[in-house]
Amino acid sequence: MEIDEKSLTPLFIQIAEWIESEILSGNIEEGESIPSTNQFASIYGINPATARKGFDLLTDEGIIYKKRGIGMFVSDGAREKLKSKARNKLIEESVSMLIENAKKLGITKNELIDIIGKDRNWEDEV
């Protein structure tokens, strides 16, 4: 993971997004422990409170949970929650933008469906 201190994205969100990415990619499995806030702080030279804010975001969403005295762990069902969240974000941002731009260019709904259907790199099943 790389922390980009020059990014407009706050550090605590970068931490949360990295953990989310690792869970989605399968590098961190459900039930597995994750590095502590102090470990993140030490590795990346940030304040532990900053790392904690990132962890708090994921805890609030039910993605991770704390076992008192043991550490932080990935919740059961976290990967599916994250896939759903990413899907909704994709639809909300990218697809909406695609439709809006298509309308501006005079592309009809059926034309857009045809264009997407002709993508040879598209697999029917994910």
Side-chain angles (χ1 to χ4, degrees), residues 22-105:
E22 291 296 293
I23 294 168
L24 278 170
S25 68
N27 292 331
I28 302 175
E29 297 288 336
E30 293 176 3
E32 191 175 329
S33 67
I34 60 173
S36 71
T37 54
N38 289 334
Q39 287 171 319
F40 267 96
S42 175
I43 292 168
Y44 300 108
I46 60 174
N47 188 316
T50 301
R52 191 172 308 109
K53 281 179 73 174
F55 280 47
D56 287 347
L57 286 176
L58 298 175
T59 301
D60 291 346
E61 293 179 15
I63 304 300
I64 62 174
Y65 66 96
K66 183 176 186 171
K67 283 188 182 178
R68 192 174 183 98
I70 299 176
M72 300 297 289
F73 293 82
V74 178
S75 301
D76 290 339
R79 190 161 191 256
E80 283 306 313
K81 285 181 185 177
L82 290 171
K83 285 171 82 174
S84 178
K85 178 182 171 181
R87 178 189 162 116
N88 291 339
K89 183 177 181 182
L90 174 70
I91 291 168
E92 187 176 303
E93 294 176 0
S94 301
V95 176
S96 295
M97 184 185 306
L98 173 64
I99 293 168
E100 182 180 321
N101 287 330
K103 285 179 181 178
K104 288 178 184 175
L105 296 171

